[in-house]
Amino acid sequence: MKKRSSNLRLTLMVAAAPAVLLLSGCEEPANTGLVLQTESQCDYQTDVPKDECHAAYQKALADHQRVAPQFADRAQCNDQFGGCTEVRDAQGTSSWVPPMTGFLLGYAASSLVSGASRTDCQRYPSAQGCGSSSGSGGGVYRRVGGSSPLYRDYRTGEYRRPNGEATTDRAGRVYGDAGSTSVPARAVSVSRSGFGSSSAARSSFSSSRSNYSSGRSYGG
């Protein structure tokens, strides 16, 4: 009788294993942020309130002017990003910075618990939680926790943060660590190895530079 009970338990465990694996395989990871190419896309996305999206863009643009990566060589900057702009520091030393070709907005941690979802109230106005004054047009949205400027690396197609880390190779939702919006305290000086490589950022950051304006804020 004891042997039969043991065999029965073993049979049930073996039978349940594929179901557990199937369920775990079907679970989608919670998306942690959103990559947009232009500010105008804030009006079409439905993940976060539009006003928070526009504010996230403005912050990313301000960070771009402050911490965009600096290349000593114009050709090197253009080869990787295209459309680079010359800037000068207080001592008159020139460097070249890539255009901001997108921005990342990260969701607030509180909105990621158990992969909390939002309701697209523009498509489903009668859904539960819609019809309120939340966001633009009402509804349940994720909250913006931060933002970062992004730079499209034409060698790989990836969008890179100001510190050289890659996020994704396309606009849209990102997952896991790709939603991190941390930016360096100062602009990174790029070495000959290129921006984003293991030795691209020198241990010493470049000196602070004055704000600049670029004729091309976004690229294709």
Side-chain angles (χ1 to χ4, degrees), residues 100-120:
M100 181 174 126
T101 47
F103 69 107
L104 167 69
L105 57 85
Y107 304 138
S110 59
S111 69
L112 299 176
V113 177
S114 301
S117 62
R118 51 98 182 116
T119 301
D120 185 346

Side-chain angles (χ1 to χ4, degrees), residues 51 157 166 179 193 207 216:
D51 57 345
S193 58
S207 59
R216 177 184 171 190

Side-chain angles (χ1 to χ4, degrees), residues 26-27 68 105 154 160 175 177:
C26 291
E27 291 180 357
L105 57 85
Y154 290 112
R160 296 189 179 276
Y175 302 83
D177 292 340

Side-chain angles (χ1 to χ4, degrees), residues 187-202:
V188 173
S189 295
V190 183
S191 70
R192 286 285 179 180
S193 58
F195 187 59
S197 63
S198 59
S199 58
R202 294 201 292 264

